[in-house]
Amino acid sequence: MHSADLIVIGAGPAGMSAARRAAGSGLSVLLLDEQPAPGGQIYRDVDRASKTRGAILGSDFIDGLALTRRLAHDNITHLRGAVVWQIEEATRVNFTRNGKAELAEGRRILLATGALERPMPVPGWTLPGVMTAGAAQILLKQSGIACERAVLVGSGPLLYLVATQMVRAGVPPLALVETQTKADLARSLRHLGGALRGWPYLLKGLRMLWELRRAGIVRHVGATDIAVEGDRSASGVTFRVGGIEHRIACDTVLLHHGVVPNTQAARSIDIPHRWDDAQGCFAPECDEWGRTAVSSVFIAGDGAGIGGARAAALAGELVALEIARDLGGMTERERDAEARPLRSGLGAERAARSFIDSAYPPYAGALAPADDTIVCRCEEVTAGEIRRTAGLGCLGPNQAKAFVRAGMGPCQGRYCGLSVTRILSDTNGIPPDETGYYRIRPPLKPVTLGEIAALAEHETAEVGK
Amino acid sequence: MKPDSTFREIGPQTDRVTVRFGSSELSLPRGENLAGALLVVGVMPFRHTPLSGAPRGPFCMMGACYDCLVEIDGINRQACMLQVTEGLQIERPSIKGAGNA
């Protein structure tokens, strides 16, 4: 069994920066991450990819090297390919690595599990050839693979980033189909006061748009009635702009309309969550130090509320300081002094967020999908079936499981939970907070009996020593 | 399986190993992400759903959606969470066993 002062789950910006700060404060740190290399999704495989594809992926990606390099510290044990599937007693973590289950015990646990793409149920979104924009970026970062004849669909800065990276890779997208409207942009202007503090982000946005324009990438803005066509795989996207119907033939459709906190691990140990109306998602309840209602468990980064990579790295450090104080590694005064520059940095990082959130709202057509659109990909449950359960008295997602098996497939609701909450909330006229979410139970990821048996063998061997 | 692919490798070529996907022999880059490598050689779909038999392929590439499931040594596994190793024997998940992910 592994043991450490602090177990960090997730080696993205929040997890990496927290691990280093905690290690620097004298704590022993066990860093568990599913991937073969550190970086999380935003800096996926940055150690390798920055060498061969740095020019395509851009300087914001290469920035991740500063975090991965700092993981080399005597107090940090980084286990790669460690898939966490259970947290017990708020101190024990079960995970599988190399086909065998292992157990780790920590005095404190930090959940740095990041974000997931917001589910975007549109007709045809389950067809092969339809992926998230994040998936296309992961292919580019980790594997140096570009999607040909692709159309990017949805809203948000990530669409522009992926499109510019594709242009630089010599495989430009066929078009961008954007769902935000001019009215959204007008509404977002009242947040500009804050956004001006976040001007580097606005500048980056404008640069990307300019780069796309120069490359001749067509942008369709204010799209509605989006659907993916195809029989055995995606063959085109249809949509309307200003009453005019469009069809673009393509091989790949990349969907994105924002990211949301990945709350699976936090929910599995009953940390309370609240509905965040501005970001249209649930977020775990935690204080400014990442403390949760479970006293030994903390949360940092996008998993606590979407703020982006730089904000996550700063938040990771802040939470590490509080954990160090909590375990007697520093005084409150020392913690506050070290936290001050981090907090001011965090304020600047968050400044542009409300502007971005209102300028690029989620696509309305995917928040209230048509009746025949599949919402739960695993169990192939449509929006209409969820609405019908409401008519039968179904008040929340948990009951929807029993009615139609929504959320009961292998993804455990990761790509339907928010849709089901929203549809039931709208149909029943009950707010999302009251409608609630799926109850998430371990195992968080599938684990075989053989893997668990390996844990028992290991434990027996330890006892026999 | 389509002979052509709409996914193109732009990175430097790495050394290849042989794996089997069903009855086909594939030459894939050693150590690379398995789902990505299969996309490049034109494997699509990866599986069919146990309910309606609808075709599916990689969707999230980050271990969350389970649409890239393939069967290796009798166990359904997420191709996007695996690396290419010599001699892998990959099958499309059998519809009957697709629920044991």
Side-chain angles (χ1 to χ4, degrees):
Chain A
M1 184 166 79
H2 307 267
S3 73
D5 292 322
L6 172 63
I7 298 173
V8 177
I9 302 175
M16 290 190 290
S17 71
R20 174 57 191 234
R21 192 82 184 206
S25 306
L27 305 186
S28 59
V29 180
L30 179 67
L31 177 58
L32 302 177
D33 188 76
E34 296 182 339
Q35 291 298 325
Q41 304 309 331
I42 191 88
Y43 302 129
R44 181 119 161 200
D45 219 358
V46 63
D47 291 344
R48 222 167 48 118
S50 58
K51 291 189 198 104
T52 48
R53 294 183 279 280
I56 290 169
L57 296 167
S59 61
D60 280 348
F61 176 72
I62 297 168
D63 282 350
L65 283 177
L67 291 168
T68 57
R69 281 187 184 137
R70 296 182 72 227
L71 286 180
H73 190 289
D74 286 347
N75 290 353
I76 300 176
T77 305
H78 173 203
L79 298 185
R80 298 155 189 253
V83 179
V84 171
W85 45 269
Q86 180 168 247
I87 300 168
E88 293 175 291
E89 313 284 332
T91 51
R92 286 151 63 94
V93 178
N94 286 110
F95 59 95
T96 296
R97 190 169 59 118
N98 299 327
K100 286 179 179 158
E102 297 182 50
L103 180 62
E105 191 152 34
R107 296 165 72 195
R108 298 292 179 273
I109 295 175
L110 174 62
L111 305 179
T113 54
L116 291 170
E117 293 260 359
R118 181 192 302 281
M120 193 167 163
V122 296
W125 77 309
T126 53
L127 284 167
V130 181
M131 299 191 297
T132 66
Q137 219 194 11
I138 288 166
L139 282 170
L140 196 56
K141 287 172 185 171
Q142 188 182 27
S143 310
I145 294 171
C147 316
E148 294 182 307
R149 287 173 41 82
V151 177
L152 291 145
V153 181
S155 74
L158 180 72
L159 282 187
Y160 304 145
L161 179 59
V162 174
T164 52
Q165 289 170 337
M166 291 170 80
V167 167
R168 286 179 219 148
V171 189
L174 297 176
L176 271 72
V177 176
E178 302 179 38
T179 57
Q180 80 283 352
T181 62
K182 288 205 175 75
D184 293 324
L185 189 62
R187 255 196 306 278
S188 70
L189 292 179
R190 65 192 161 91
H191 297 283
L192 254 185
L196 285 175
R197 284 173 56 213
W199 63 270
Y201 285 98
L202 293 184
L203 204 60
K204 269 177 208 164
L206 291 172
R207 277 208 194 110
M208 288 192 288
L209 288 176
W210 177 75
E211 202 174 332
L212 293 177
R213 192 174 178 165
R214 200 181 46 167
I217 308 299
V218 179
R219 294 177 56 211
H220 301 272
V221 177
T224 60
D225 302 277
I226 293 163
V228 182
E229 289 184 340
D231 181 20
R232 281 152 33 131
S233 66
S235 59
V237 184
T238 59
F239 56 95
R240 298 175 79 89
V241 174
I244 298 166
E245 211 160 299
H246 295 259
R247 181 180 187 280
I248 304 173
C250 63
D251 291 326
T252 306
V253 178
L254 304 173
L255 302 175
H256 172 79
H257 64 156
V259 295
V260 295
N262 175 4
T263 59
Q264 300 291 114
R267 286 185 179 279
S268 76
I269 51 171
D270 295 328
I271 288 171
H273 286 64
R274 62 180 162 71
W275 179 258
D276 180 335
D277 219 30
Q279 297 199 328
C281 59
F282 285 104
E285 285 179 15
C286 41
D287 71 9
E288 55 168 4
W289 298 103
R291 278 188 170 280
T292 71
V294 179
S295 62
S296 58
V297 180
F298 295 72
I299 306 179
D302 275 355
I306 302 305
R310 287 167 184 272
L314 292 165
E317 289 200 65
L318 272 176
V319 175
L321 290 175
E322 167 59 6
I323 291 170
R325 185 212 59 80
D326 197 26
L327 293 177
M330 64 172 64
T331 66
E332 201 170 303
R333 179 177 290 200
E334 286 167 340
R335 177 200 69 180
D336 291 345
E338 293 194 34
R340 212 161 291 130
L342 299 171
R343 286 218 186 279
S344 95
L346 206 51
E349 288 302 322
R350 284 175 177 161
R353 183 50 54 179
S354 56
F355 172 75
I356 293 172
D357 287 343
S358 57
Y360 297 103
Y363 168 50
L367 297 182
D371 274 347
D372 55 1
T373 302
I374 286 177
V375 164
C376 167
R377 300 172 62 91
C378 299
E379 296 292 327
E380 300 180 77
V381 182
T382 65
E385 287 174 84
I386 303 292
R387 289 190 183 103
R388 277 196 289 284
T389 67
L392 296 171
C394 177
L395 294 175
N398 271 323
Q399 280 178 293
K401 285 184 180 178
F403 277 101
V404 287
R405 287 195 56 83
M408 293 189 74
C411 101
Q412 297 175 302
R414 286 172 175 87
Y415 284 104
C416 71
L418 287 173
S419 304
V420 172
T421 293
R422 176 91 65 163
I423 291 168
L424 288 175
S425 167
D426 289 347
T427 312
N428 289 319
I430 296 171
D433 256 328
E434 277 177 59
T435 299
Y437 194 80
Y438 296 131
R439 183 176 171 79
I440 302 300
R441 293 186 179 85
L444 295 167
K445 292 279 172 104
V447 55
T448 65
L449 288 173
E451 287 165 5
I452 295 174
L455 178 65
E457 280 164 27
H458 185 70
E459 299 276 283
T460 312
E462 295 254 305
V463 171
K465 266 183 202 166
Chain B
M1 198 182 301
K2 289 187 291 188
D4 58 333
S5 166
T6 57
F7 295 87
R8 195 206 297 172
E9 267 179 306
I10 56 158
Q13 296 283 314
T14 49
D15 66 322
R16 307 261 148 177
V17 296
T18 304
V19 310
R20 291 188 71 83
F21 190 100
S23 56
S24 338
E25 206 161 83
L26 303 174
S27 173
L28 303 183
R30 184 197 302 275
E32 295 292 341
N33 184 287
L34 178 62
L38 292 175
L39 285 174
V40 168
V41 296
V43 169
M44 194 67 108
F46 277 42
R47 68 181 185 107
H48 294 89
T49 62
L51 278 140
S52 72
R56 292 286 171 88
F59 176 72
C60 79
M61 286 301 295
M62 53 185 276
C65 78
Y66 294 82
D67 268 328
C68 67
L69 290 176
V70 291
E71 191 178 306
I72 296 171
D73 295 332
I75 297 169
N76 287 348
R77 305 192 57 187
Q78 295 167 289
C80 78
M81 299 295 283
L82 296 172
Q83 291 164 280
V84 173
T85 51
E86 173 86 58
L88 271 181
Q89 176 71 51
I90 310 162
E91 301 286 342
R92 286 210 167 81
S94 57
I95 296 282
K96 207 171 60 182
N100 72 351

